[in-house]
């Protein structure tokens, strides 16, 4: 696959095969992702790779939070409030596409919530990771971590793996921090579910749409 094909073939994988991915492979992917650019070469990314014990512990605690309605103080708003119409429309379409692929009716809230719950199992992925960033970084530093994450994702695909980034973990910062034991100056940005994609599952068999470049590009004379 050339780079264009690699970028265009990327999608969020939310069902995985029960097949191990060794830490050696994870290390090699992180090593490649680490070539990402960052302003001033500050390299603000921090990644916690969970072993089986910590992954199971985090899943148990997060599912307990989810099932009992625990709400923790969040460190950032995942979406601005209110979300402008242009973005709200895309967000609703994104959800509709996924639930259509799973044949879940729009008003079937219980089944939708069950699907959201899968986030807190890392969608069954053999590898779960948590990405944090020093709280002192604002938008600029977050952008740099984004470069790292895209590198990681594309490298994983090149290794035959699939990935889903998960901002959902940011709703339980207290729980996540307790399990990964990260210093207080860090905040939880997102999780990463990674493993071999289950190509039979309908959730991996639809693709999200994109507006044309006219929606975001202005060529100025
Ligand atoms: C930073 C980030 C966080 C995300 N968090 C979640 C998440 O918590 N749960 C989820 O199912 N998908 C999550 N996604 C996946 C997006 O929904 C997905 O990228 C988007 O709908 C476009 O679809 P595609 O990745 O299949 O092209 C996240 C993506 C990014 C970049």
């Amino acid at each position: 696959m050339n780079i264009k094909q690699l970028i265009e073939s990327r999608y969020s994988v939310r069902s995985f095969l029960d097949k191990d991915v060794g830490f050696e492979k994870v290390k090699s992917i992180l090593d490649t992702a680490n070539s990402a650019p960052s302003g001033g070469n500050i390299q603000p990314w921090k990644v916690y790779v969970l072993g089986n014990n910590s992954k199971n512990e985090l899943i148990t605690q997060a599912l307990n939070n989810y099932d009992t309605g625990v709400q923790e103080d969040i460190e950032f708003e995942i979406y601005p409030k209110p979300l402008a119409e242009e973005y709200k429309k895309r967000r609703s379409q994104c959800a509709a596409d996924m639930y259509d692929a799973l044949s879940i009716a729009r008003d079937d809230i219980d089944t939708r919530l069950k699907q959201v719950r899968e986030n807190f199992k890392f969608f069954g992925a053999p590898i779960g990771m948590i990405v944090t960033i020093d709280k002192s970084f604002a938008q600029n530093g977050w952008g740099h971590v984004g470069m790292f994450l895209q590198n990681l994702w594309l490298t994983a695909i090149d290794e035959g793996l699939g990935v889903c980034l998960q901002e959902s973990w940011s709703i339980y910062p207290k729980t996540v921090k307790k399990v990964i034991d990260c210093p207080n100056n860090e905040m939880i940005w997102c999780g990463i579910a990674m493993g071999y994609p289950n190509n039979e599952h309908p959730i991996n068999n639809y693709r999200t749409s994109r507006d044309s470049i006219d929606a975001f590009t202005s060529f100025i004379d």
Side-chain angles (χ1 to χ4, degrees):
M1 248 194 296
N2 65 32
I3 189 74
K4 184 175 188 294
Q5 291 163 333
L6 187 60
I7 290 170
E8 289 179 351
S9 70
R10 188 212 54 78
Y11 71 98
S12 293
V13 172
R14 297 186 180 89
S15 172
F16 297 88
L17 298 180
D18 183 15
K19 182 176 169 190
D20 269 356
V21 178
F23 272 6
E24 283 314 306
K25 188 167 279 224
V26 177
K27 278 186 197 162
S28 147
I29 290 169
L30 291 171
D31 200 37
T32 302
N34 200 22
S35 316
S38 54
N41 199 23
I42 50 170
Q43 306 162 57
W45 38 85
K46 297 210 182 293
V47 182
Y48 294 80
V49 184
L50 304 175
N52 278 339
N53 288 339
S54 51
K55 180 153 79 83
N56 291 337
E57 180 61 25
L58 183 55
I59 289 174
T60 303
Q61 293 197 23
L63 288 180
N64 183 57
N65 288 350
Y66 191 78
D67 294 340
T68 59
V70 167
Q71 294 197 329
E72 296 186 354
D73 290 335
I74 52 169
E75 295 175 305
F76 68 96
E77 291 288 353
I78 291 180
Y79 300 106
K81 282 185 180 152
L83 188 59
E85 204 45 50
E86 174 188 357
Y87 307 109
K88 209 196 282 180
K89 207 175 63 191
R90 293 183 190 139
R91 190 182 174 201
S92 313
Q93 187 61 50
C94 168
D97 289 344
M98 183 166 83
Y99 294 120
D100 283 353
L102 295 172
S103 307
I104 300 174
R106 274 154 217 224
D107 55 358
D108 186 352
I109 304 298
D110 281 353
T111 315
R112 280 180 169 225
L113 291 176
K114 254 189 218 142
Q115 179 52 41
V116 174
R117 189 177 186 273
E118 291 300 303
N119 271 287
F120 302 109
K121 299 182 197 166
F122 286 102
F123 300 109
I127 299 293
M129 297 184 254
I130 298 292
V131 178
T132 71
I133 180 164
D134 192 292
K135 285 179 186 165
S136 59
F137 287 109
Q139 292 91 326
N140 193 30
W142 284 56
H144 305 154
V145 180
M147 301 232 154
F148 171 87
L149 291 172
Q150 178 78 340
N151 270 2
L152 181 151
W153 202 327
L154 297 177
T155 309
I157 296 171
D158 196 43
E159 291 285 346
L161 298 167
V163 166
C164 190
L165 293 189
Q166 300 182 276
E167 56 207 2
S168 44
W169 287 104
S170 71
I171 70 168
Y172 298 133
K174 194 168 153 218
T175 300
V176 176
K177 284 179 179 184
K178 204 166 71 192
V179 174
I180 67 173
D181 196 23
C182 75
N184 250 342
N185 59 304
E186 289 175 28
M187 62 195 278
I188 308 299
W189 176 3
C190 65
I192 303 176
M194 186 167 83
Y196 292 95
N198 174 3
N199 295 322
E200 304 300 316
H201 198 292
I203 203 160
N204 289 340
N205 281 298
Y206 76 98
R207 296 294 176 264
T208 50
S209 58
R210 297 292 185 273
D211 285 7
S212 80
I213 69 160
D214 300 337
F216 64 87
T217 315
S218 306
F219 290 93
I220 315 286
D221 224 354

